[in-house]
Short mmCIF file of all heavy atoms in Angstrom, two decimals:
data_model
loop_
_atom_site.label_atom_id
_atom_site.label_comp_id
_atom_site.label_asym_id
_atom_site.label_seq_id
_atom_site.Cartn_x
_atom_site.Cartn_y
_atom_site.Cartn_z
N PRO B 369 36.92 29.44 27.56
CA PRO B 369 36.16 29.01 28.74
C PRO B 369 34.70 28.75 28.36
O PRO B 369 34.18 29.36 27.42
CB PRO B 369 36.27 30.21 29.68
CG PRO B 369 36.65 31.36 28.81
CD PRO B 369 37.39 30.81 27.64
N LYS B 370 34.06 27.83 29.07
CA LYS B 370 32.66 27.52 28.81
C LYS B 370 31.82 28.74 29.19
O LYS B 370 32.06 29.35 30.24
CB LYS B 370 32.26 26.29 29.63
CG LYS B 370 30.94 25.72 29.28
CD LYS B 370 31.10 24.30 28.68
CE LYS B 370 29.78 23.79 28.14
NZ LYS B 370 29.58 24.01 26.72
N GLU B 371 30.88 29.12 28.34
CA GLU B 371 30.07 30.30 28.64
C GLU B 371 28.61 29.92 28.81
O GLU B 371 28.16 28.94 28.23
CB GLU B 371 30.18 31.31 27.48
CG GLU B 371 31.59 31.81 27.25
CD GLU B 371 31.65 32.89 26.16
OE1 GLU B 371 30.77 32.91 25.29
OE2 GLU B 371 32.56 33.71 26.22
N MET B 372 27.90 30.73 29.55
CA MET B 372 26.46 30.48 29.74
C MET B 372 25.72 30.75 28.44
O MET B 372 24.77 30.05 28.09
CB MET B 372 25.90 31.42 30.82
CG MET B 372 26.38 31.12 32.20
SD MET B 372 25.60 29.64 32.81
CE MET B 372 24.00 30.30 33.28
N ASN B 373 26.12 31.79 27.74
CA ASN B 373 25.43 32.19 26.51
C ASN B 373 26.43 32.44 25.40
O ASN B 373 26.71 33.59 25.05
CB ASN B 373 24.63 33.48 26.75
CG ASN B 373 23.47 33.24 27.67
OD1 ASN B 373 22.58 32.46 27.38
ND2 ASN B 373 23.48 33.91 28.80
N PRO B 374 26.97 31.36 24.82
CA PRO B 374 28.06 31.57 23.85
C PRO B 374 27.68 32.48 22.68
O PRO B 374 28.54 33.20 22.17
CB PRO B 374 28.38 30.15 23.37
CG PRO B 374 27.40 29.24 24.00
CD PRO B 374 26.65 29.96 25.07
N PHE B 375 26.41 32.48 22.27
CA PHE B 375 26.03 33.36 21.15
C PHE B 375 26.10 34.83 21.53
O PHE B 375 26.16 35.70 20.67
CB PHE B 375 24.62 33.02 20.64
CG PHE B 375 24.63 31.94 19.61
CD1 PHE B 375 24.13 30.68 19.88
CD2 PHE B 375 25.15 32.18 18.35
CE1 PHE B 375 24.16 29.68 18.93
CE2 PHE B 375 25.18 31.19 17.39
CZ PHE B 375 24.68 29.94 17.68
N LEU B 376 26.03 35.09 22.84
CA LEU B 376 26.11 36.48 23.29
C LEU B 376 27.48 36.75 23.90
O LEU B 376 27.68 37.73 24.61
CB LEU B 376 25.04 36.75 24.35
CG LEU B 376 23.60 36.50 23.97
CD1 LEU B 376 22.67 36.85 25.13
CD2 LEU B 376 23.21 37.33 22.75
N GLY B 377 28.40 35.85 23.65
CA GLY B 377 29.65 35.93 24.40
C GLY B 377 30.87 36.39 23.62
O GLY B 377 30.80 37.24 22.74
N TYR B 378 31.95 35.72 23.99
CA TYR B 378 33.28 36.09 23.52
C TYR B 378 33.47 35.43 22.16
O TYR B 378 33.80 34.25 22.09
CB TYR B 378 34.25 35.54 24.56
CG TYR B 378 35.70 35.85 24.36
CD1 TYR B 378 36.15 37.16 24.34
CD2 TYR B 378 36.62 34.81 24.23
CE1 TYR B 378 37.51 37.43 24.18
CE2 TYR B 378 37.97 35.07 24.08
CZ TYR B 378 38.40 36.39 24.05
OH TYR B 378 39.73 36.64 23.91
N ARG B 379 33.18 36.14 21.09
CA ARG B 379 33.23 35.53 19.77
C ARG B 379 33.59 36.57 18.70
O ARG B 379 33.62 37.76 18.97
CB ARG B 379 31.89 34.87 19.43
CG ARG B 379 30.70 35.80 19.48
CD ARG B 379 29.43 35.14 18.98
NE ARG B 379 29.54 34.80 17.57
CZ ARG B 379 28.50 34.53 16.78
NH1 ARG B 379 27.28 34.53 17.28
NH2 ARG B 379 28.66 34.25 15.52
N ALA B 380 33.88 36.05 17.51
CA ALA B 380 34.07 36.87 16.32
C ALA B 380 34.98 38.07 16.58
O ALA B 380 36.09 37.91 17.09
CB ALA B 380 32.71 37.29 15.77
N ILE B 381 34.51 39.28 16.24
CA ILE B 381 35.39 40.45 16.32
C ILE B 381 35.80 40.73 17.77
O ILE B 381 36.87 41.27 18.04
CB ILE B 381 34.71 41.70 15.69
CG1 ILE B 381 35.75 42.73 15.28
CG2 ILE B 381 33.67 42.32 16.61
CD1 ILE B 381 36.66 42.30 14.16
N ARG B 382 34.95 40.32 18.72
CA ARG B 382 35.27 40.55 20.14
C ARG B 382 36.55 39.80 20.50
O ARG B 382 37.42 40.32 21.17
CB ARG B 382 34.10 40.07 21.00
CG ARG B 382 32.80 40.73 20.60
CD ARG B 382 31.59 40.06 21.19
NE ARG B 382 30.38 40.75 20.72
CZ ARG B 382 29.17 40.49 21.15
NH1 ARG B 382 28.98 39.57 22.07
NH2 ARG B 382 28.14 41.15 20.68
N LEU B 383 36.59 38.56 20.04
CA LEU B 383 37.76 37.73 20.32
C LEU B 383 38.98 38.25 19.55
O LEU B 383 40.08 38.35 20.09
CB LEU B 383 37.42 36.30 19.90
CG LEU B 383 38.39 35.19 20.21
CD1 LEU B 383 37.59 33.91 20.43
CD2 LEU B 383 39.38 34.94 19.10
N CYS B 384 38.75 38.62 18.28
CA CYS B 384 39.88 39.08 17.45
C CYS B 384 40.49 40.37 17.98
O CYS B 384 41.70 40.57 17.89
CB CYS B 384 39.42 39.28 16.00
SG CYS B 384 39.22 37.72 15.13
N LEU B 385 39.66 41.25 18.52
CA LEU B 385 40.20 42.50 19.05
C LEU B 385 40.90 42.27 20.39
O LEU B 385 41.71 43.09 20.83
CB LEU B 385 39.09 43.55 19.21
CG LEU B 385 38.56 44.13 17.89
CD1 LEU B 385 37.39 45.07 18.14
CD2 LEU B 385 39.66 44.84 17.11
N ASP B 386 40.59 41.15 21.04
CA ASP B 386 41.22 40.84 22.32
C ASP B 386 42.52 40.05 22.10
O ASP B 386 43.53 40.31 22.73
CB ASP B 386 40.24 40.04 23.17
CG ASP B 386 40.79 39.75 24.54
OD1 ASP B 386 41.33 40.70 25.16
OD2 ASP B 386 40.73 38.59 24.99
N GLN B 387 42.44 39.08 21.18
CA GLN B 387 43.64 38.26 20.90
C GLN B 387 44.17 38.70 19.54
O GLN B 387 43.98 38.02 18.53
CB GLN B 387 43.26 36.77 20.89
CG GLN B 387 42.63 36.35 22.20
CD GLN B 387 42.69 34.85 22.42
OE1 GLN B 387 43.61 34.17 21.99
NE2 GLN B 387 41.68 34.32 23.09
N LYS B 388 44.83 39.84 19.55
CA LYS B 388 45.15 40.51 18.28
C LYS B 388 46.12 39.73 17.41
O LYS B 388 46.13 39.91 16.20
CB LYS B 388 45.69 41.91 18.56
CG LYS B 388 44.61 42.87 19.02
CD LYS B 388 44.83 44.27 18.45
CE LYS B 388 43.78 45.26 18.95
NZ LYS B 388 43.86 45.53 20.41
N GLU B 389 46.95 38.86 18.01
CA GLU B 389 47.90 38.14 17.16
C GLU B 389 47.18 37.26 16.15
O GLU B 389 47.59 37.13 15.00
CB GLU B 389 48.90 37.34 18.00
CG GLU B 389 50.09 38.15 18.48
CD GLU B 389 50.59 39.17 17.44
OE1 GLU B 389 50.94 38.75 16.32
OE2 GLU B 389 50.59 40.39 17.74
N ILE B 390 46.08 36.63 16.61
CA ILE B 390 45.29 35.77 15.71
C ILE B 390 44.77 36.64 14.56
O ILE B 390 44.84 36.27 13.39
CB ILE B 390 44.09 35.15 16.47
CG1 ILE B 390 44.56 34.33 17.65
CG2 ILE B 390 43.19 34.37 15.53
CD1 ILE B 390 43.43 33.80 18.55
N PHE B 391 44.25 37.82 14.93
CA PHE B 391 43.65 38.74 13.96
C PHE B 391 44.71 39.27 12.98
O PHE B 391 44.51 39.26 11.77
CB PHE B 391 43.02 39.89 14.76
CG PHE B 391 42.06 40.75 14.00
CD1 PHE B 391 41.22 40.22 13.02
CD2 PHE B 391 41.97 42.12 14.28
CE1 PHE B 391 40.32 41.04 12.34
CE2 PHE B 391 41.08 42.94 13.61
CZ PHE B 391 40.26 42.40 12.63
N ARG B 392 45.85 39.67 13.55
CA ARG B 392 46.90 40.26 12.69
C ARG B 392 47.38 39.25 11.65
O ARG B 392 47.62 39.60 10.49
CB ARG B 392 48.10 40.71 13.55
CG ARG B 392 47.81 41.97 14.34
CD ARG B 392 49.05 42.46 15.10
NE ARG B 392 48.70 43.48 16.07
CZ ARG B 392 48.49 44.77 15.77
NH1 ARG B 392 48.66 45.19 14.53
NH2 ARG B 392 48.14 45.63 16.70
N THR B 393 47.53 38.00 12.08
CA THR B 393 48.01 36.97 11.14
C THR B 393 47.03 36.86 9.97
O THR B 393 47.43 36.81 8.80
CB THR B 393 48.12 35.60 11.86
OG1 THR B 393 48.95 35.78 12.99
CG2 THR B 393 48.68 34.54 10.95
N GLN B 394 45.74 36.83 10.28
CA GLN B 394 44.75 36.71 9.21
C GLN B 394 44.77 37.94 8.31
O GLN B 394 44.74 37.83 7.07
CB GLN B 394 43.35 36.52 9.79
CG GLN B 394 42.30 36.43 8.67
CD GLN B 394 40.92 36.03 9.12
OE1 GLN B 394 40.45 36.51 10.15
NE2 GLN B 394 40.27 35.18 8.35
N LEU B 395 44.85 39.13 8.91
CA LEU B 395 44.82 40.36 8.10
C LEU B 395 46.05 40.45 7.20
O LEU B 395 45.94 40.85 6.03
CB LEU B 395 44.73 41.59 9.01
CG LEU B 395 43.41 41.70 9.80
CD1 LEU B 395 43.45 42.92 10.72
CD2 LEU B 395 42.21 41.78 8.86
N ARG B 396 47.19 40.03 7.70
CA ARG B 396 48.40 40.06 6.86
C ARG B 396 48.23 39.12 5.66
O ARG B 396 48.55 39.48 4.52
CB ARG B 396 49.64 39.62 7.66
CG ARG B 396 50.19 40.70 8.58
CD ARG B 396 51.32 40.13 9.42
NE ARG B 396 52.55 39.91 8.64
CZ ARG B 396 53.47 40.84 8.44
NH1 ARG B 396 53.31 42.04 8.95
NH2 ARG B 396 54.55 40.58 7.73
N ALA B 397 47.70 37.93 5.93
CA ALA B 397 47.51 36.98 4.84
C ALA B 397 46.54 37.58 3.80
O ALA B 397 46.76 37.48 2.59
CB ALA B 397 46.95 35.67 5.38
N LEU B 398 45.49 38.22 4.30
CA LEU B 398 44.51 38.81 3.39
C LEU B 398 45.12 39.95 2.57
O LEU B 398 44.94 40.03 1.35
CB LEU B 398 43.32 39.36 4.19
CG LEU B 398 42.26 38.34 4.59
CD1 LEU B 398 41.28 38.94 5.59
CD2 LEU B 398 41.52 37.85 3.34
N LEU B 399 45.85 40.83 3.27
CA LEU B 399 46.45 41.99 2.57
C LEU B 399 47.42 41.51 1.49
O LEU B 399 47.43 42.03 0.37
CB LEU B 399 47.16 42.89 3.59
CG LEU B 399 46.22 43.67 4.52
CD1 LEU B 399 46.97 44.18 5.75
CD2 LEU B 399 45.56 44.83 3.76
N ARG B 400 48.20 40.50 1.84
CA ARG B 400 49.17 39.98 0.84
C ARG B 400 48.46 39.38 -0.37
O ARG B 400 48.94 39.44 -1.49
CB ARG B 400 50.08 38.93 1.49
CG ARG B 400 51.16 39.54 2.38
CD ARG B 400 51.91 38.45 3.11
NE ARG B 400 52.39 37.41 2.22
CZ ARG B 400 52.64 36.15 2.59
NH1 ARG B 400 52.43 35.77 3.84
NH2 ARG B 400 53.09 35.28 1.71
N SER B 401 47.29 38.79 -0.10
CA SER B 401 46.58 38.14 -1.22
C SER B 401 45.85 39.15 -2.10
O SER B 401 45.43 38.84 -3.21
CB SER B 401 45.57 37.13 -0.67
OG SER B 401 44.47 37.81 -0.10
N SER B 402 45.71 40.40 -1.59
CA SER B 402 44.83 41.37 -2.25
C SER B 402 45.25 41.70 -3.69
O SER B 402 44.41 42.12 -4.48
CB SER B 402 44.77 42.67 -1.44
OG SER B 402 46.05 43.26 -1.38
N VAL B 403 46.52 41.50 -4.02
CA VAL B 403 46.96 41.86 -5.37
C VAL B 403 46.56 40.80 -6.41
O VAL B 403 46.78 40.97 -7.60
CB VAL B 403 48.50 42.07 -5.43
CG1 VAL B 403 48.87 43.35 -4.71
CG2 VAL B 403 49.25 40.89 -4.83
N TYR B 404 45.97 39.71 -5.95
CA TYR B 404 45.61 38.63 -6.89
C TYR B 404 44.16 38.68 -7.35
O TYR B 404 43.70 37.78 -8.05
CB TYR B 404 45.90 37.26 -6.26
CG TYR B 404 47.37 37.06 -6.01
CD1 TYR B 404 47.94 37.37 -4.78
CD2 TYR B 404 48.20 36.63 -7.05
CE1 TYR B 404 49.30 37.22 -4.57
CE2 TYR B 404 49.56 36.48 -6.84
CZ TYR B 404 50.11 36.78 -5.60
OH TYR B 404 51.46 36.63 -5.41
N GLY B 405 43.42 39.70 -6.96
CA GLY B 405 42.02 39.76 -7.40
C GLY B 405 41.33 40.97 -6.81
O GLY B 405 41.96 41.96 -6.46
N ASN B 406 40.01 40.87 -6.70
CA ASN B 406 39.19 41.99 -6.24
C ASN B 406 38.70 41.73 -4.82
O ASN B 406 37.58 41.29 -4.60
CB ASN B 406 38.02 42.13 -7.24
CG ASN B 406 37.13 43.31 -6.94
OD1 ASN B 406 37.34 44.02 -5.96
ND2 ASN B 406 36.13 43.52 -7.78
N LEU B 407 39.58 41.97 -3.86
CA LEU B 407 39.30 41.62 -2.45
C LEU B 407 38.54 42.73 -1.71
O LEU B 407 38.84 43.91 -1.85
CB LEU B 407 40.63 41.37 -1.72
CG LEU B 407 40.54 41.15 -0.21
CD1 LEU B 407 39.87 39.82 0.13
CD2 LEU B 407 41.93 41.20 0.44
N LYS B 408 37.54 42.31 -0.94
CA LYS B 408 36.87 43.20 0.01
C LYS B 408 36.90 42.47 1.36
O LYS B 408 36.78 41.25 1.40
CB LYS B 408 35.42 43.45 -0.40
CG LYS B 408 35.31 44.08 -1.79
CD LYS B 408 33.87 44.19 -2.23
CE LYS B 408 33.75 44.42 -3.72
NZ LYS B 408 34.27 45.70 -4.20
N ILE B 409 37.09 43.24 2.42
CA ILE B 409 37.18 42.60 3.74
C ILE B 409 36.02 43.07 4.60
O ILE B 409 35.68 44.26 4.58
CB ILE B 409 38.52 42.98 4.43
CG1 ILE B 409 39.70 42.45 3.61
CG2 ILE B 409 38.58 42.45 5.87
CD1 ILE B 409 41.07 42.86 4.13
N MET B 410 35.40 42.15 5.35
CA MET B 410 34.39 42.62 6.30
C MET B 410 34.57 41.97 7.67
O MET B 410 35.08 40.86 7.78
CB MET B 410 32.98 42.41 5.77
CG MET B 410 32.51 41.00 5.68
SD MET B 410 30.80 41.02 5.09
CE MET B 410 30.55 39.28 4.76
#
Side-chain angles (χ1 to χ4, degrees):
K370 191 115 188 95
E371 299 184 334
M372 291 287 281
N373 291 299
F375 273 109
L376 302 181
Y378 183 61
R379 57 173 295 198
I381 202 67
R382 304 166 181 187
L383 187 149
C384 284
L385 288 176
D386 183 47
Q387 303 200 32
K388 288 217 182 66
E389 276 322 302
I390 301 174
F391 195 35
R392 286 185 193 280
T393 305
Q394 178 171 42
L395 294 177
R396 282 175 73 87
L398 278 170
L399 289 162
R400 283 173 52 205
S401 73
S402 63
V403 289
Y404 295 94
N406 184 357
L407 173 69
K408 301 174 197 294
I409 297 175
M410 70 178 170

